[in-house]
Amino acid sequence: MDKDTVYAVVDIETTGTSVTDGDRIIQIGCVFVQHNQVINHFETDVNPLKEIPAAISRLTGITNKRVRHAPLFDDVAGTLYSLLTNTVFVAHNVNFDLPFINAELERVGYPALPIAAVDTVSLSQILLPTATSFRLRDLSRLFNIEHDNPHSADSDASATAELFIFLFRRLRALPMVTLQRMIDLQADLPLQTTTLFRVAQQLNEQSPRKLPDYLYIKNGLALRQPAPLPATTLAEPSKYPKTKKQKQKLMPENLEWRPEQAKMMNYIYNNYAEADRHPVKHMIVEAPTGIGKSLGYLLPMAYLGQTGRPVVVSTATTLLQEQLLDQTIPLLNQIVPFTVNAVLVKGSRHYLDLQRFATTLNVAETSKQTQLLKLRLLVWLTMTTTGDLDELHLATYRAPYFQEIVHEGAVTVDNPFYDDDFIRRRDHRMAQAQVIIVNHAYLSEHALALGEQLQQPYLVIDEAQHLTESTLKQRRTQVKFAQLLNELHHIQRDINREIGPSLLRLFAADTQATLTLHRLLSASQTLETQLTTLVDHLFLRFLANKRLNNHNQVIEELVSAQALTEEIDRSRTIDRATMATDDLLAGLNALRQRYDQQQAQFTSAERYLFEQVNTRVHLFDDQMGQLLEILRQVVDQAPASLFWLTMNHVGDRTSLQLASGLLATEGFLSQHLYAGFQPVLLTGATLFSSGRSQYVLDQFDLQREQTVTHRMRSSFDYGKQAQLLMADSGPNLSRVAPADYVTYLSAAITQIAGAVNKQTLILFNSLSVIEQVYQQLVTQPEFARRDIFAQGVSGSRERITKRFATSHGAILLGAASFWEGIDLPSEQLELLIVTRLPFDSPDRVFVKANYARLEAAGKNPFYNAALPAATLKLRQGIGRLIRTPHDYGAVVILDQRLVECQYGQSILRALPAELPKTTGDIGTLTQGLINFFEKKPADSATPPRSLI
């Protein structure tokens, strides 16, 4: 490859994915690129001499009739071979296209093409590290590449050619230091893809480019200059716009006026601004979907914050944090007559540690996944100003490599990247910002420190329905004994590996270091023995006799502090394990001194080996610290603490986990979360389970006399937009056999969803039921032409939600996280089926313990916990359906308890009063559904104007 190389960008369509099983090419598209210009095209249909499967025809638009008179591959092979010779083959997933073409060429008597090849999927992953998808269709949309006919070879080849030109220019735009680092990694990418890095380097050496002003070089890495926050206006505070006229004067024309949003703004401003007229109270504001909740609290808070008191906004997830920063804050700055600076703050492990990353670049890497990650990170460092790893949109951050490069929170002055450190940048921006956006997990860990640092700022908790759960989750301490033992095994292996590098070989000439290493080995072996003994004692005492209907079912067992204390004392392991851990750390510190004295003589791989052991010992110490913390809580026997053991399935003691947690947030939120702030504002779309507010007050640890509540009215017309259909018959849920229940659900869903070809979300309480129902639904002829996605079967939640949203007439079976947090407006969702009222399983550890706590306090667990929680969850589930004023859809509930039981009326009163309701058997509901969709207004899909 050189500057004059001709790149042949190829795409093929085939009858299937396996050429060895007889699949054949049905279309070839080829675009030739030289000097970043398209110079030629070639495309042709191909007669495969076999039937094209219907699914392939639907995907590509290529039918048997169309290819009947097309040339055979034998007829085009010579032309294709001639065209591709002396080019570099380029494809989007080159390991499919090139081997397939070579196999077809060999089948008709030609040799395999002796040419280099480059993969644009890998190049896209490296050079576009923040892209959310690397499908050709999605990348074409991202860069406005014309791609009218996806899965058509000529269209795909043209789009891939445009993409390749863009990627090659992007590669050449990288700093030379980054290109050299990428070459030095010697990554194992598909075919000759890495050769392109050298071509770019050579071209840049021939035509040197100046380093852009927004980049700088530090310790061998090209980094992006930090973006300064916009200057704030140092003027007299602007007056808050109380009236409709004043607000409308500020609002952009494309922003829809919402009376309830305006009311919400005034409620909030008046509560906090008029402290001289009345005491400022805590606030709970339920703001239904569609009224513009985010702007509803940010605008009054922006005016309140003009006096210098910052605003901390906490929301449920990092994704919602990013939406606030990227969507709501820019809109807010269009409205208010002053500048509002905002910064997004996450826990330290969300950020890259530059020093740790730079160290790993010197280590030869055999893992293809890690090689690719290193390449992506090198390019990403020329783009990011925050170092927030979430910008990479990776499916998982659990890869072992991330444990080596994530930030641990502390940075010392002698760190070579001290001035560039991303945590220091984050903290510097936080000190300058008027709005600090955090998530609930971060808030529950850092609330008091944050309040002190920012001198009692305002606190807004958005998506407040998640606060209790998130806080309880953060206060849990969990120890996986298998993880502890695994760290010990790695430490032992790295010290005394029989084949390959080991610390004993590294320090073979140092007698003192060798003795220290043997002490480390002895301490780790003692720890292994003591921990194994402890696992055996806990298993035999608490879990050995457990028997379940499902052998593979996860076992959770509550254990009392007293019983746990007795068993730990009986095993006599903790004191010995603590002493051995101290010996392990002391030995490591002694070895560190010897290492520091000799560090210059070690290779980078040898230094990496030592740092690996150092990291593993400290990880083990952290996990042992968690175990000791649990045991301290056991000894203290705090009444609010809960202890339990978990095991993957019967008899699997290797999976044993010991955990402790906070049982309830009462008394905790007020003391440990709210105390550092002004009176808290809690808001969310679904917070109240009934007209009475005691449940929500208890959940948020607030006193009635110190709290003001507001429930804003929905802007949706449920009377015209929706209908609720409820089954009044069905199996007795307390007696029906599991297999019979699955059969009933499958038949009911087939009848209901089969009658209307609508985007359908079906909510369950159990993943195992989803799997069984899914297996029956996919065999139904009614759904032969409809996509069916199932949580736990069809991929991750994110993947199946995205596929569902872009489908037509698809069916999605979901549990747990699908009850809320997904946004499917307009025709992306028109039918919602609830299979069962969402009561928590009373067998779950936390549910069981909470019910016992309420009973001990003289309260009825059903009416004080189970019913309000189920009501809220049902409200949240139904909230998936109507997302805009123009949506149109129906809810079907198959649980007849909603009609038969007295508490059903309590649940129904919590739903929108104007929502039309129908009851009947499955046949009646099906006909009612058909009638409802026949009455759908023709203009119901009109998109609304902007609203945040």
Side-chain angles (χ1 to χ4, degrees):
M1 288 184 231
D2 57 33
K3 66 182 180 66
D4 295 319
T5 294
V6 174
Y7 296 93
V9 186
V10 179
D11 187 79
I12 58 175
E13 302 302 333
T14 64
T15 59
T17 57
S18 176
V19 70
T20 57
D21 291 339
D23 285 318
R24 296 287 178 258
I25 292 173
I26 56 176
Q27 191 180 58
I28 303 168
C30 187
V31 176
F32 296 91
V33 174
Q34 187 180 37
H35 304 144
N36 283 340
Q37 300 281 334
V38 174
I39 61 171
N40 199 5
H41 290 263
F42 171 78
E43 60 271 334
T44 182
D45 289 347
V46 178
N47 186 340
L49 292 178
K50 64 180 296 184
E51 286 291 309
I52 300 174
I56 297 295
S57 290
R58 286 198 301 271
L59 183 69
T60 64
I62 302 171
T63 63
N64 290 301
K65 181 179 179 181
R66 172 171 162 178
V67 300
R68 187 174 300 143
H69 301 295
L72 305 180
F73 186 80
D74 312 51
D75 300 328
V76 300
T79 302
L80 185 65
Y81 195 91
S82 175
L83 286 170
L84 295 180
T85 299
N86 297 322
T87 68
V88 171
F89 191 99
V90 178
H92 205 66
N93 189 8
V94 74
N95 280 334
F96 173 76
D97 294 78
L98 183 56
F100 207 112
I101 285 177
N102 275 332
E104 285 285 76
L105 286 169
E106 290 175 329
R107 180 178 64 83
V108 298
Y110 285 84
L113 287 161
I115 57 176
V118 170
D119 182 45
T120 53
V121 173
S122 299
L123 285 176
S124 299
Q125 291 172 326
I126 295 163
L127 298 171
L128 309 172
T130 60
T132 57
S133 167
F134 299 101
R135 294 192 308 175
L136 182 60
R137 178 195 303 175
D138 297 330
L139 291 171
S140 298
R141 190 180 300 120
L142 182 64
F143 296 110
N144 293 320
I145 295 172
E146 189 174 326
H147 190 203
D148 296 331
N149 299 298
H151 299 294
S152 170
D154 52 349
S155 179
D156 283 357
S158 295
T160 305
E162 294 296 328
L163 176 65
F164 174 70
I165 292 169
F166 176 84
L167 292 172
F168 191 63
R169 285 175 175 156
R170 198 171 182 94
L171 183 65
R172 284 205 60 194
L174 290 174
M176 288 295 280
V177 67
T178 301
L179 278 171
Q180 188 59 55
R181 285 281 199 178
M182 292 167 68
I183 292 166
D184 291 345
L185 287 174
Q186 300 180 22
D188 185 7
L189 299 178
L191 301 176
Q192 289 74 42
T193 303
T194 52
T195 307
L196 207 63
F197 302 164
R198 289 195 181 277
V199 174
Q201 184 189 50
Q202 291 163 4
L203 289 173
N204 286 358
E205 286 171 348
Q206 294 168 13
S207 304
R209 301 183 177 200
K210 180 186 175 185
L211 190 72
D213 292 340
Y214 56 80
L215 295 177
Y216 67 103
I217 310 299
K218 186 69 170 289
N219 299 318
L221 293 178
L223 303 174
R224 189 95 172 188
Q225 296 279 7
L229 286 172
T232 53
T233 308
L234 298 175
E236 284 292 312
S238 298
K239 189 176 180 182
Y240 173 73
K242 287 192 174 184
T243 67
K244 177 180 179 179
K245 185 177 180 181
Q246 290 169 336
K247 288 185 178 71
Q248 286 183 318
K249 187 176 179 181
L250 293 172
M251 299 280 185
E253 286 187 8
N254 66 334
L255 196 67
E256 189 172 351
W257 173 256
R258 287 284 190 246
E260 289 297 296
Q261 182 189 57
K263 279 186 192 176
M264 177 179 175
M265 292 174 178
N266 288 351
Y267 285 147
I268 293 169
Y269 184 82
N270 292 338
N271 182 61
Y272 292 96
E274 300 178 357
D276 54 334
R277 299 187 188 179
H278 57 75
V280 178
K281 291 188 174 186
H282 300 296
M283 288 191 80
I284 302 173
V285 180
E286 183 177 88
T289 300
I291 76 161
K293 167 170 57 74
S294 302
L295 195 60
Y297 64 74
L298 270 174
L299 187 138
M301 281 294 171
Y303 278 90
L304 291 164
Q306 290 182 96
T307 57
R309 193 185 298 280
V311 181
V312 174
V313 178
S314 180
T315 190
T317 65
T318 55
L319 178 62
L320 291 172
Q321 282 181 271
E322 289 158 9
Q323 287 178 2
L324 283 171
L325 185 69
D326 298 337
Q327 298 176 24
T328 314
I329 294 296
L331 176 61
L332 180 66
N333 274 314
Q334 289 181 41
I335 296 171
V336 299
F338 49 88
T339 301
V340 178
N341 285 329
V343 62
L344 191 150
V345 176
K346 301 177 184 177
S348 60
R349 292 180 67 82
H350 284 268
Y351 298 90
L352 180 73
D353 185 312
L354 285 167
Q355 183 186 24
R356 298 181 76 191
F357 171 63
T359 301
T360 67
L361 292 176
N362 298 320
V363 179
E365 187 58 63
T366 57
S367 163
K368 290 184 182 182
Q369 181 192 37
T370 303
Q371 291 174 353
L372 183 63
L373 284 170
K374 287 181 179 180
L375 289 167
R376 296 184 70 183
L377 289 164
L378 281 168
V379 174
W380 175 64
L381 284 175
T382 68
M383 302 164 63
T384 184
T385 60
T386 67
D388 181 355
L389 290 163
D390 289 337
E391 292 174 4
L392 296 170
H393 301 293
L394 296 175
T396 176
Y397 294 92
R398 294 175 186 168
Y401 180 60
F402 279 102
Q403 303 311 310
E404 301 174 28
I405 62 171
V406 295
H407 212 296
E408 298 293 346
V411 58
T412 55
V413 180
D414 60 351
N415 186 309
F417 292 98
Y418 179 77
D419 292 330
D420 320 278
D421 184 73
F422 290 121
I423 294 291
R424 293 189 70 243
R425 281 191 191 181
R426 179 202 71 183
D427 292 347
H428 178 69
R429 289 173 66 85
M430 186 164 65
Q432 296 178 299
Q434 287 84 51
V435 178
I436 296 94
I437 304 170
V438 302
N439 55 59
H440 296 344
Y442 183 90
L443 182 69
S444 65
E445 285 291 311
H446 302 90
L448 294 180
L450 200 59
E452 183 178 352
Q453 180 183 349
L454 300 174
Q455 300 180 339
Q456 283 207 308
Y458 296 108
L459 174 61
V460 179
I461 298 178
D462 195 357
E463 300 295 317
Q465 67 271 22
H466 295 286
L467 178 66
T468 298
E469 180 186 357
S470 179
T471 302
L472 291 174
K473 188 175 180 180
Q474 283 300 116
R475 308 316 295 183
R476 288 175 201 161
T477 306
Q478 192 170 38
V479 173
K480 299 178 180 180
F481 288 101
Q483 203 168 345
L484 280 166
L485 293 168
N486 186 49
E487 294 294 354
L488 290 174
H489 293 157
H490 278 292
I491 292 166
Q492 293 164 12
R493 184 197 63 188
D494 288 343
I495 291 174
N496 194 27
R497 185 185 280 108
E498 292 183 7
I499 300 174
S502 71
L503 290 185
L504 278 172
R505 286 193 184 88
L506 198 63
F507 290 98
D510 187 332
T511 305
Q512 185 176 342
T514 300
L515 288 171
T516 301
L517 283 166
H518 282 293
R519 278 175 50 206
L520 280 168
L521 267 178
S522 176
S524 70
Q525 289 161 354
T526 299
L527 280 163
E528 184 177 358
T529 300
Q530 298 306 316
L531 289 171
T532 302
T533 301
L534 179 58
V535 167
D536 290 341
H537 274 262
L538 293 174
F539 172 78
L540 291 170
R541 170 71 184 272
F542 299 109
L543 297 173
N545 296 322
K546 295 294 290 184
R547 294 290 179 268
L548 298 173
N549 293 332
N550 182 351
H551 185 74
N552 293 321
Q553 186 175 339
V554 173
I555 299 171
E556 288 184 327
E557 183 71 9
L558 278 172
V559 291
S560 69
Q562 182 178 347
L564 203 50
T565 302
E566 291 172 2
E567 203 53 47
I568 289 167
D569 289 345
R570 188 177 293 119
S571 70
R572 293 183 293 183
T573 57
I574 293 303
D575 289 343
R576 295 172 193 166
T578 304
M579 290 174 60
T581 304
D582 291 342
D583 289 345
L584 198 68
L585 289 169
L588 180 67
N589 289 334
L591 189 66
R592 165 66 78 176
Q593 294 175 13
R594 306 298 296 173
Y595 170 80
D596 289 342
Q597 293 167 11
Q598 306 170 46
Q599 186 173 358
Q601 73 186 43
F602 298 136
T603 66
S604 60
E606 290 170 334
R607 288 196 292 271
Y608 181 72
L609 176 64
F610 177 83
E611 294 299 341
Q612 277 280 86
V613 174
N614 179 71
T615 299
R616 290 194 184 283
V617 170
H618 283 100
L619 279 172
F620 177 85
D621 181 50
D622 289 343
Q623 291 166 22
M624 273 300 293
Q626 291 180 326
L627 177 59
L628 295 173
E629 171 61 21
I630 292 175
L631 299 180
R632 183 194 62 75
Q633 294 173 22
V634 171
V635 172
D636 291 347
Q637 296 195 17
S641 293
L642 187 69
F643 307 97
W644 70 98
L645 291 164
T646 306
M647 191 167 62
N648 285 351
H649 52 79
V650 172
D652 182 19
R653 72 178 72 188
T654 60
S655 66
L656 191 72
Q657 298 176 36
L658 174 63
S660 70
L662 197 64
L663 179 54
T665 52
E666 291 177 31
F668 183 86
L669 294 178
S670 56
Q671 295 175 33
H672 298 277
L673 200 143
Y674 306 150
F677 299 87
Q678 298 297 304
V680 64
L681 164 62
L682 299 121
T683 185
T686 314
L687 300 180
F688 292 88
S689 59
S690 67
R692 297 174 64 251
S693 56
Q694 192 56 50
Y695 177 76
V696 73
L697 289 169
D698 290 343
Q699 290 290 296
F700 295 146
D701 193 20
L702 296 174
Q703 302 301 313
R704 186 179 297 276
E705 62 276 7
Q706 299 170 358
T707 308
V708 59
T709 64
H710 295 285
R711 299 185 67 177
M712 313 313 298
R713 293 182 58 188
S714 174
S715 59
F716 302 149
D717 186 347
Y718 285 99
K720 294 180 179 178
Q721 291 182 251
Q723 183 157 5
L724 173 62
L725 302 105
M726 301 171 286
D728 61 6
S729 60
N732 186 319
L733 296 179
S734 62
R735 298 177 185 173
V736 65
D740 293 339
Y741 180 59
V742 168
T743 301
Y744 162 75
L745 284 181
S746 302
I749 290 167
T750 300
Q751 186 172 345
I752 293 167
V756 289
N757 187 26
K758 302 294 180 183
Q759 285 279 102
T760 304
L761 172 63
I762 308 175
L763 295 175
F764 294 77
N765 293 350
S766 163
L767 286 174
S768 64
V769 174
I770 283 181
E771 184 177 0
Q772 294 172 71
V773 171
Y774 172 81
Q775 297 299 338
Q776 294 198 20
L777 293 185
V778 293
T779 65
Q780 301 301 317
E782 289 89 341
F783 302 135
R785 295 181 174 274
R786 295 174 69 177
D787 290 326
I788 302 180
F789 307 107
Q791 185 179 1
V793 178
S794 310
S796 68
R797 176 183 185 269
E798 292 74 19
R799 175 178 169 80
I800 60 179
T801 302
K802 186 173 182 180
R803 290 178 64 191
F804 177 74
T806 56
S807 299
H808 300 282
I811 298 170
L812 193 161
L813 284 60
S817 57
F818 281 93
W819 283 85
E820 65 167 323
I822 57 170
D823 192 15
L824 297 165
S826 190
E827 293 183 357
Q828 291 180 20
L829 177 63
E830 293 184 279
L831 174 58
L832 176 74
I833 300 176
V834 177
T835 58
R836 192 166 184 157
L837 293 177
F839 287 105
D840 289 327
S841 169
D843 295 329
R844 288 181 54 206
V845 162
F846 271 86
V847 176
K848 189 185 297 183
N850 190 43
Y851 289 179
R853 176 184 68 88
L854 290 169
E855 284 180 340
K859 296 180 179 180
N860 184 310
F862 182 78
Y863 288 103
N864 286 276
L867 181 59
T871 303
L872 277 176
K873 195 168 183 179
L874 184 62
R875 287 189 65 204
Q876 290 160 357
I878 292 175
R880 300 311 92 214
L881 187 65
I882 304 298
R883 309 296 293 172
T884 79
H886 304 277
D887 287 358
Y888 191 84
V891 183
V892 177
I893 299 180
L894 298 177
D895 190 335
Q896 72 270 23
R897 291 177 297 177
L898 189 61
V899 177
E900 293 178 350
C901 297
Q902 188 174 355
Y903 63 74
Q905 293 306 308
S906 174
I907 294 175
L908 290 173
R909 282 194 294 270
L911 303 181
E914 66 274 26
L915 178 63
K917 301 173 181 66
T918 301
T919 61
D921 59 19
I922 300 302
T924 302
L925 301 188
T926 301
Q927 188 57 52
L929 201 61
I930 294 170
N931 296 341
F932 172 75
F933 282 112
E934 285 177 350
K935 293 187 294 184
K936 179 180 178 180
D939 62 345
S940 63
T942 304
R945 289 193 289 165
S946 298
L947 176 67
I948 292 183

